[in-house]
Every structure is written in C-alpha cells, then in structure tokens.
Amino acid sequence: MAAGTIILTGANGSLALHAADYLLKSYPDYHAVFAVRDAADADPNTQRLRDIMALYPESQCSIHQVDHAELSTVHEFAGSLAASVASGELPPLKAIICNASYWNLVSDPELTVDGYEKAIQVSHIAHVALIMRLTGSFSDDGGRIVLFSSISHYRRPNFMTHLLPVVPDGTDDIVHPAPGDQKQAYGMQRYATGKFLITTWMYALNRHLQENPKSKNITVVAVNPGDLGDSRAFFTNTPYYIQLMFSSIVRQFLPVFTYLVGANYRSSSTAGVDVVELAVNKAHPNEHGYFTMLEKDISDPITMDRESWRMFKG
C-alpha cells in the first residue's frame, strides 16, 4: 500500500505535466490521482500525461475526468475518492494540489452550467467544493493543500490590466460580472479576482482546519509559482499580440528574461518541482501562508485582514 494519495487537478497543464513526472519519479511511495477536464486520448495534452504515466507502474497513478466548470462532476469525483479511501482501496490523502485554472481575455464573461463566472468557478469555487468534501479523507498525521495564487492577486494595476481585483461587498458582481468594452482588461480582472479570492480563502481555511482537532495537522499554502514564460495559457483565449510576444520573444529568450527581470520569470518545469516539494511537505514543512515560488512572502494586505474572511463564512 502506498504511503498516501496525492491529488493533482488540471494535471495536463504546462506546470502540471512537469509536476506529475517529478512526483512519480521522486516520490514513488505515493499514489498520484490526476484529474483532467478531458480524459480522452484524443486530447493531445492528456495524451502527454498518459505518456508520462506509462513510464511508471500502473499502480502508482490513475487519471480521472473532472470538469471544474460543472460542479456535479467535482462532487461525484470527491465522493468517489472519499469512498475509495474509506474502503482502503486508496491510502489516505497527503496532499491536494489545486492547479486547474481558466481565463478568457478575448470575450465577455462566460457562465458555467452552474451559473457562475467560469474563471472564478474553475479556479476557485470548484476547488473549494473538492477540498471541503475531502478534508476528512486525509491521514491522521495530516498533509498539505496547495492553492495557486499569482502576482496578479495584488490590488494594483499590471501590464495586462489597469483594473484591480474586486473585493466582495455582498453583491453578486464577482460570480455574475457585467461585460466591459475592454475584453483583455476585464478578462484579466476576473482572473486576478479569482487569485485574490484564493489567497484570502487560504487564511480562512487554515484557521478553520486548525480549530478542528481532526484536521489541525493539515496545512494550506497559496503559492505564486512565478511568471511561466513557456505556459500554454498565453496561447489560450488571449489576444494575438500576447501570443506573438510569447512565441517569438519570451519563449525564445526566457533565460535572458530571467536574468534581466528576475527569477520570477522561469520555466514550468522548475515551478513544477517546487510545487511538488511543497505538496509533500519537504519544502517549509508544516508551515502555512503565502509563498512566492519557495520563498515565504507577504500577500496583499486585504487578504490577511480577518474581517475580509467573513466572505467565506456560511
């Protein structure tokens, strides 16, 4: 029996493929559960994941289709996994790595079948549902939950938008945003708002888990993995000039960007290793909080304000 189960969502993403390979190679004692939106062989990214999995024993990993844009599939997955742990078919959880994400910088807001803005649901709401269904499936000695934040969560303009992440005020403007004329600016704001919510929820979730004797050994971190110049995200639902910039300049000269701008510009492979080290509790063991790559950092002040956590009560 494996030492524990590790879940990785969005497991066929740019960072996740490297994380999956590193996890299977470096930590063979764990069983890896890879969740993807489309598990069909016809999906080229899923096929890349299957090619990685084929290098390791079949008993070491499994792949599951979970569409974060449809909460019923998330609940079904969580329920099935909890049952497998309870029956002994799978060992207790040791980590959940919440990598699944979405953005759209070229069109109006999209609503999922559940009626929520898609970027917010895929990146945040679906992970909340997954985690809250599975905290009872962790091993007695705890484990770690890795959430994905971003430098964009800070409430300041960036080169992709002049709009700040939205702080919830009791209205439904976050999950049902109005369209705006500037598709990129508003699309990036929705993405950044999701990262702001994720980071804020990390503090609230840590407090909730630590107040319960059964979950007090589960630590939660929110990590900004860096600006990944080779990420496929820059070629999905993005303006043409962004695709051109990253294909002809950033990808070609990533080491130069890293040297000139700083280590925050780096490859998905490097980031994938760091995320796994956090997940298995090797990096910063038993710590919680916000990280930029593997360095403990300070998130936006509003995220650390306990009054802000009220948005997650109830």
Side-chain angles (χ1 to χ4, degrees), residues 220-240:
V220 190
V221 298
V223 59
N224 164 22
D227 295 319
L228 310 182
D230 58 353
S231 172
R232 296 197 311 269
F234 294 110
F235 300 88
T236 305
N237 299 329
T238 56
Y240 178 69

Side-chain angles (χ1 to χ4, degrees), residues 106-136:
V106 294
S107 70
D108 288 332
E110 304 167 86
L111 297 184
T112 67
V113 295
D114 303 292
Y116 301 118
E117 197 280 317
K118 189 172 182 179
I120 300 293
Q121 176 167 325
V122 171
S123 302
H124 178 54
I125 297 174
H127 283 130
V128 172
L130 179 67
I131 290 168
M132 299 312 293
R133 289 286 301 270
L134 289 175
T135 54

Side-chain angles (χ1 to χ4, degrees), residues 135-156:
T135 54
S137 297
F138 274 80
S139 63
D140 292 339
D141 59 349
R144 180 164 267 175
I145 296 169
V146 180
L147 306 176
F148 278 71
S149 183
S150 162
I151 195 172
S152 68
H153 93 274
Y154 290 101
R155 300 195 73 251
R156 59 184 183 230

Side-chain angles (χ1 to χ4, degrees), residues 5-29:
T5 298
I6 295 179
I7 302 171
L8 172 61
T9 71
N12 59 2
S14 301
L15 178 154
L17 288 170
H18 295 288
D21 188 33
Y22 181 75
L23 173 62
L24 295 173
K25 177 174 60 180
S26 302
Y27 296 99
D29 291 342

Side-chain angles (χ1 to χ4, degrees), residues 199-279:
T199 308
T200 306
W201 186 60
M202 176 268 296
Y203 293 105
L205 179 59
N206 268 307
R207 186 180 185 187
H208 168 77
L209 293 173
Q210 290 166 14
E211 288 176 345
N212 187 334
K214 294 183 178 180
S215 60
K216 66 179 182 179
N217 293 322
I218 303 173
T219 57
V220 190
V221 298
V223 59
N224 164 22
D227 295 319
L228 310 182
D230 58 353
S231 172
R232 296 197 311 269
F234 294 110
F235 300 88
T236 305
N237 299 329
T238 56
Y240 178 69
Y241 86 89
I242 290 180
Q243 299 180 34
L244 182 62
M245 179 175 68
F246 276 86
S247 62
S248 62
I249 301 176
V250 177
R251 280 191 173 186
Q252 300 301 320
F253 302 100
L254 187 57
V256 177
F257 270 78
T258 301
Y259 176 77
L260 293 176
V261 182
N264 199 57
Y265 274 88
R266 60 180 185 158
S267 68
S268 298
S269 59
T270 304
V273 170
D274 286 354
V275 166
V276 171
E277 293 295 284
L278 281 169

Side-chain angles (χ1 to χ4, degrees), residues 103-107 160 183-184 187-188 191 237-239 242:
W103 70 3
N104 191 327
L105 310 185
V106 294
S107 70
M160 295 182 73
K183 308 302 184 189
Q184 177 184 316
M188 188 63 195
Y191 174 82
N237 299 329
T238 56
I242 290 180

